Amino acid sequence: MLNSIEKRRFFVSEQYIQASKNLIDGMLANGNPLAIISNDEISSRELVEGLKDSSQSIILPALFCLYQGVELLLKGFVNIKSEKKNGHEAEKLLKQFLTLYEEEKELVALF
């Protein structure tokens, strides 16, 4: 049975991953504008507004959300089977996860 911290970790993980997906979906839905072309002068506000859905503005926050989501997901799985404290290093978490769940072939295949 999951304790409240583990449940919260999985819940927040899902939120981060969904936020990443939403950011990428929004960028793609709006055509990923990379430039604004105009015969008139463009204010900085118009530039920021016009490029808010570009990959230049969205990719780093989207990757951050994805990384955070995967990190929390790995921590959640590791903490179910291990009392050992774990940090924020995804590579170490992944190694712990793969060791603890090596018999769970379908689960391991996700990572």
Side-chain angles (χ1 to χ4, degrees), residues 6 76-83 100-102 104:
E6 291 161 346
F77 279 113
V78 167
N79 286 340
I80 288 171
K81 290 195 172 191
S82 173
E83 294 293 321
L100 292 168
Y101 289 91
E102 69 180 317
E104 305 284 341

Side-chain angles (χ1 to χ4, degrees), residues 40-53:
D40 301 320
E41 186 174 335
I42 299 171
S43 70
S44 59
R45 174 175 269 153
E46 290 171 317
L47 183 63
V48 168
E49 181 63 28
L51 296 178
K52 72 178 182 187
D53 293 317

Side-chain angles (χ1 to χ4, degrees), residues 42-79:
I42 299 171
S43 70
S44 59
R45 174 175 269 153
E46 290 171 317
L47 183 63
V48 168
E49 181 63 28
L51 296 178
K52 72 178 182 187
D53 293 317
S54 76
S55 59
Q56 296 166 343
S57 299
I58 291 181
I59 197 65
L60 288 179
L63 289 174
F64 175 82
C65 287
L66 181 61
Y67 180 88
Q68 290 297 115
V70 170
E71 178 186 334
L72 286 172
L73 190 60
L74 287 170
K75 277 185 179 185
F77 279 113
V78 167
N79 286 340

